[in-house]
Amino acid sequence: MEENLRQLSNGATKIIKIALFGPESTGKTTLAKQLAEYYKTEWVPEYAREYLQEKWDKNQQICDVEDMLPIAYGQTKLENESALRANKYLFCDTNLLVTKVFSEVYYDFCDPLLDQAAREHEYDLFFLTDIDVPWEKDDLRDRPDERESVFAIFKQSLIDNKKPFVILSGDKKLRLKKAIAIINNLSKAKEMGFSSLDFVQIYEHGVPLKNIQQQLSFFRNGIAKSNLVGPATLFNGILKLSENNFQEKAAFFDENKSNFKLEKFVPASGAASRMFKFLIAFLNDFDIENETINAYINKKKDTELSIFIVGLEKFPFFKTIDKKLREEFSDFESLDKDSKNYYFIKLLLAKDFFDFANKPKGALPFHKYQKRIVTPVEEHLQECVYYASSNNSSNLHFTMSEAHLGQFETIINAIKNEAERKSETTINVSYSYQNKNTDTIAVDSENNPFRDENGRLFFRPGGHGALIENLNNLDADIVFIKNIDNVIQNNIEKTARYKKALAGILIELQRQIFKYLHAIEAKEIQEEFIDEIVLFLEEKLNVRIPYDFYKLSFENKLIEMKSVLNKPIRVCGMVKNEGEAGGGPFWVKDKDNSISLQIVESSQVDLSNENQKNILNASTYFNPVDLVCGIKNYKKEKFDLTQFVDHNSGFIVEKTTFGRKIKSYELPGLWNGAMANWITIFVQVPLITFNPVKSVNDLLKSAHQPQ
């Protein structure tokens, strides 16, 4: 490169260079000046304006292709001089890439020296200034009608030359605010060892830099395990109700539900691949030419496959697939039994046919009724009317993968009108997706950010804990939470009664909580009422009061009680543990020695500690994800649920990606750490309320079969 076009390197000057880049009249100069003033540093003006003004004064032709190199020389000189004086940052109103684009747009030519220099000049970030500001005419600006096409050329030049850039839009005030936030984060990213291209990827993905910093810390330092004090048991953390009590609580809910907006929240993300894991393995490993299915079952000790084949005709999808098999095989009746079963499984999973493993679980056929086959989506809609409705209105919300939306909508649209007619209830169905900004960064075995084959950072979905954001966006007073696969064939009215009872408990407790909070705010609480509130906290809300509380002044006791009472509340059904994998209810001590009720997964427990392992194994209850939540405060304002998350209760898991091992961080689970700082009530509920379908064979259980 010619010496006059050589740029001082960022390393030599130890500054961060920001280039303002974009078409004419997009506010570059104003922004460069504002940023230089804000950061108390230098900015580089546009040399072309000075150069062309001299020509204008001499009555020479205002600008031609021969002027491009002199302008580039002058711009480089200005930038290098300013770089030596700059304080940490340098803001460049223009740069050689602008001159290159200008030359190509106006003269359809760019001098090779300019072209090379423009490509090689480096900046930590380009701000591509948008054309959403008014055009301002002057003697050098002459293309107001071509702003869109010129902007597209500028943007493409950044892409083609692999330059790190962010588009800045909005008025002058908003652009400055955005630019400052971006620059501060860029500086932080550089300190963390990320490149400018990494930073742009992070910015476009929307993941807050502080989240990535925290996640990298978890990978390098580990995550503290839960400190179990003991399992929650009946009368020690778990409330036991008689059938009459359940009836009374359900009736209380029905009497009061008109005062609340109710909503049912159904996590329904992901495909159903795990349901068919053993069938996928069978298709991969079975040799139909050289072995029998019975020999395969014996060799692999595959009892799941045996159960599947024995119960084949009881599955709700049997007739549909059997019919298709007969269409595909004209000699179907002459096939031996093994061939019929093999091809049945093959059609069930084949992408060109039913592709069940890649469909959302909510769209699969689960139940066979007399006149129709029903999916979990339909069961949830029918069930929703029974308990998540008030004032002839019911609200149902699914969280899902955006790719599955069409399948859900097709099912809902086919059944919604009839369900509304029968129930005389308007059913409002809404959907949301897991926000990309809740994705988490993956690392390699050395805890360094993992990169794909193109050298880009790799992000993974943060798990169901990310759904606290979706829950936070609901505008409801009371929310019922239930997983997509936990539905039942028949007995909806009976299971709905237990849901109503949980909601009745919540309303009853919330009424007393709000009464105390209003009294505290109105300064109506007298010293003698402190003991009453403490008793309520301990006996009704399972809050263990630390000894130091009694040393506080009266005023500080009120402040402490308000902070304990003014939280979202969840009432969680708990079932007897019959060997299901998943979390359970425990008393847990946090780092401040406070003891509270939590739902804990085995992965959160230090299994090398015999005492902790014994406490985990002593648990006799299981979390079926059967929650009723109060997410508004005593002033009818929405809580910001993200403020009640225990961020130190996530999980580190190992995965394989691109044939390489990676470590991934999963956010605190929705009903685990994401709700760790809620008021928590556990209630024993019957097993009839818990009917998950984790394997396709679960559809053979009585809860999913016709009565």
Side-chain angles (χ1 to χ4, degrees), residues 100 155 170 190 220 223 245 250 398 430 524 536 547 610:
K100 166 180 155 62
K155 182 178 179 181
K190 293 280 188 181
R220 290 162 184 164
I223 299 174
N245 292 148
F398 293 101
S430 58
E524 295 172 351
F536 173 78
Y547 178 74
E610 282 299 316

Side-chain angles (χ1 to χ4, degrees), residues 120 122 163 426 480 503 540 575 588 702:
E120 293 183 5
E122 292 186 355
K163 301 296 186 184
T426 300
F480 298 84
K540 300 297 184 181
V575 297
V588 177
S702 60

Side-chain angles (χ1 to χ4, degrees), residues 185 188 192 207-216 647:
N185 277 327
K188 187 67 178 176
M192 293 168 64
V207 181
L209 203 62
K210 63 180 177 62
N211 290 10
I212 293 176
Q213 188 174 27
Q214 185 181 53
Q215 290 157 21
L216 291 174
H647 294 284

